[in-house]
């Protein structure tokens, strides 16, 4: 059975990630299959919309296949994988045909890359969305440094550094999703999308989603925003930690403890990328920086150690190097952003549907 199931149902082009036992973790082959499906459905005049879902009941996609990245050091596999993955993420952001991603259950890392840039992003009461990469010595890639800075205030800084999970309400508040549809209503939504006329367009797809959407509960992140904005407004991780310590509330103390468990180098790198992403004009600019930094981290950062502790040995005790923030070499961090390999996007930045300037305003 293929890891990606591609089929047409009525006027709906369906792409189903099919590795449920691995939480639909994304492989290089899956990236290619999704890209080929977009070619097929994009050229089919009878397809009104494209739908991305995950098989199984646990989630859309838990991220990239970390074990394959760990084992690929020095082989060139990671470079090829990230190049094709990031190109796919950029393509999804600019698709002319309506693209719907149902972020039911766990949707993290590479799963956010496939869904967070979609024009129509649906969450359910079971959604758990996050960019948890600093916990494995990595960075919020797949365009995370584009999405996160466009959340309200410093919400994205908080999410990117801590890796905190979002439920449906928080995901909509942070600009990672657009509509909450109860899981029980998803089959009806799929049927409605399949019954759309080929020329339904974005408005027709949005109407089908809105007809089944419900109002989310108040977002916990909205309630914590004042504290988050005050403590995460700094451009140095050390200053953020100091602000959290000075606040002293339960939320601030818990957040500070979480940050201190992360890779110091990854925290500094991530904050730098988030600040650069805030002033970037294009998603592609963020993806290019993430690409170069990813290649660097695989060779000389904490990434492989983070994967070892989480996936290979599963001892949950990563040995970060360096172990403290004050020992992080800032010049080395900047060097990780330098171009290391070509990353050319096949779709021009000014072509097709433009990537929105702010998802949080949707």
């Amino acid at each position: 059975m293929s890891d990606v199931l591609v089929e047409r149902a009525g006027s709906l082009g369906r792409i189903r990630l099919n590795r449920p036992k691995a939480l639909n973790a994304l492989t290089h082959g899956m990236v290619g299959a999704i890209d080929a499906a977009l070619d097929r459905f994009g050229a089919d005049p009878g397809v009104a919309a494209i739908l991305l879902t995950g098989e199984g009941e646990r989630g859309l996609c838990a991220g990239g296949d970390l074990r394959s990245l760990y084992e690929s050091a020095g082989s060139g596999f990671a470079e090829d994988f990230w190049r094709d993955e990031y190109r796919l993420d950029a393509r999804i952001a600019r698709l002319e045909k309506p693209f719907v991603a149902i972020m039911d259950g766990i949707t993290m890392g590479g799963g956010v890359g496939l869904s967070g840039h979609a024009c129509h992003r649906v969450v359910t009461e079971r959604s758990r969305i996050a960019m948890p990469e600093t916990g494995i010595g990595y960075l919020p890639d797949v365009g995370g440094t584009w999405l996160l800075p466009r959340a309200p205030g410093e919400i994205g800084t908080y999410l990117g550094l801590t890796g905190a999970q979002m439920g449906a309400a928080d995901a909509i508040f942070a600009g990672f999703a657009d509509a909450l549809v109860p899981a029980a209503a998803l089959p009806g939504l799929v049927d409605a999308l399949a019954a759309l006329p080929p020329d339904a367009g974005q408005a027709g797809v949005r109407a089908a989603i809105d007809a089944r959407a419900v109002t989310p509960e108040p977002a916990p992140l909205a309630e914590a925003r004042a504290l988050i904005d005050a403590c995460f407004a700094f451009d140095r991780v050390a200053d953020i930690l100091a602000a959290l310590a000075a606040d002293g509330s339960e939320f601030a103390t818990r957040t500070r403890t979480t940050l201190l468990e992360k890779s110091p180098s990854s925290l500094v790198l991530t904050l730098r990328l988030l600040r650069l992403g805030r002033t970037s004009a294009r998603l592609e600019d963020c993806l290019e920086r993430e690409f170069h930094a990813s290649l660097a981290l695989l060779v000389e950062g904490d990434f492989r150690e983070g994967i070892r502790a989480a996936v290979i040995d599963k001892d949950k005790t990563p040995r970060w190097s360096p172990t403290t923030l004050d020992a992080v070499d800032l010049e080395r961090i900047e060097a990780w952003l330098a171009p290391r390999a070509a990353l050319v996007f096949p779709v021009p930045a000014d072509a097709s549907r433009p990537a929105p300037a702010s998802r949080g305003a949707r």
Side-chain angles (χ1 to χ4, degrees):
M1 183 76 67
S2 174
D3 289 341
V4 178
L5 305 178
V6 179
E7 62 186 355
R8 179 172 160 180
S11 64
L12 182 64
R14 294 206 60 181
I15 301 173
R16 296 186 287 157
L17 308 185
N18 190 37
R19 296 185 70 207
K21 292 183 179 179
L23 281 171
N24 297 318
L26 195 62
T27 67
H28 195 189
M30 292 168 71
V31 169
I34 296 168
D35 199 48
L38 296 182
D39 286 340
R40 169 183 164 183
F41 294 139
D44 188 340
V47 170
I50 303 169
L51 174 66
L52 175 72
T53 58
E55 293 295 282
E57 299 180 353
R58 300 171 65 193
L60 171 63
C61 176
D65 189 331
L66 295 177
R67 182 177 290 272
S68 65
L69 290 171
Y70 180 87
E71 295 172 348
S72 72
S75 70
F77 167 84
E79 179 179 329
D80 292 340
F81 172 70
W82 280 322
R83 179 183 288 109
D84 291 340
E85 182 186 21
Y86 296 178
R87 285 173 170 173
L88 177 60
D89 297 333
R91 181 179 186 181
I92 288 171
R94 300 187 184 281
L95 283 177
E96 292 186 31
K97 284 197 175 180
F99 186 89
V100 182
I102 296 182
M103 307 160 77
D104 186 28
I106 294 173
T107 305
M108 299 182 183
V112 173
L114 296 176
S115 57
H117 305 297
C119 192
H120 306 279
R121 303 165 301 173
V122 175
V123 286
T124 74
E125 71 278 8
R126 303 183 299 206
S127 294
R128 294 293 178 269
I129 300 167
M131 298 298 289
E133 290 81 3
T134 56
I136 55 169
Y138 192 45
L139 60 98
D141 68 333
V142 295
T145 62
W146 168 267
L147 292 169
L148 290 163
R150 283 154 184 80
E154 297 296 337
I155 295 296
T157 310
Y158 163 79
L159 292 170
L161 293 179
T162 65
Q165 294 186 18
M166 295 176 278
D170 278 339
I172 292 172
F173 173 71
F176 276 68
D178 305 301
L180 168 59
V181 174
L186 292 179
L189 174 58
V190 174
D191 290 344
L193 293 173
L196 288 173
D199 60 352
Q202 305 288 359
V205 170
R206 187 171 297 112
I209 295 172
D210 289 346
R212 291 155 183 84
V214 298
T215 302
E217 298 292 328
L221 283 178
E223 298 177 7
R225 180 180 170 182
L227 186 157
I228 290 172
D229 283 357
C231 293
F232 283 82
F234 303 95
D235 294 334
R236 295 195 323 139
V237 177
D239 293 336
I240 292 173
L241 290 171
L244 291 168
D247 181 275
S249 64
E250 179 182 353
F251 180 89
T253 300
R254 184 171 67 251
T255 299
R256 186 174 186 275
T257 298
T258 296
L259 289 175
L260 291 172
E261 297 171 350
K262 310 298 183 184
S263 160
S265 295
S266 291
L267 289 176
V268 174
L269 173 63
T270 294
L271 184 58
R272 176 69 173 136
L273 286 168
L274 291 175
R275 295 302 185 245
L276 289 170
R278 178 173 286 174
T279 59
S280 294
R282 308 183 309 150
L283 165 63
E284 288 84 354
D285 295 334
C286 295
L287 287 167
E288 286 184 19
R289 283 191 292 265
E290 294 166 8
F291 178 65
H292 301 311
S294 294
L295 293 176
L297 286 180
L298 188 62
V299 175
E300 56 180 286
D302 281 332
F303 187 31
R304 295 190 79 248
E305 171 60 17
I307 298 175
R308 180 205 63 76
V311 178
I312 307 302
D313 297 336
K314 300 182 180 179
D315 57 27
K316 310 300 181 184
T317 55
R319 297 181 289 272
W320 304 132
S321 178
T323 59
T324 61
L325 276 172
D326 56 6
V328 174
D329 185 344
L330 298 182
E331 291 186 0
R332 187 186 189 199
I333 298 294
E334 289 299 319
W336 287 348
L337 304 181
R340 293 168 180 262
L343 176 61
V344 179
F345 294 100
V347 179
D350 58 352
S352 301
R353 181 174 65 87
S358 176
R359 288 290 192 158
R362 286 170 64 123

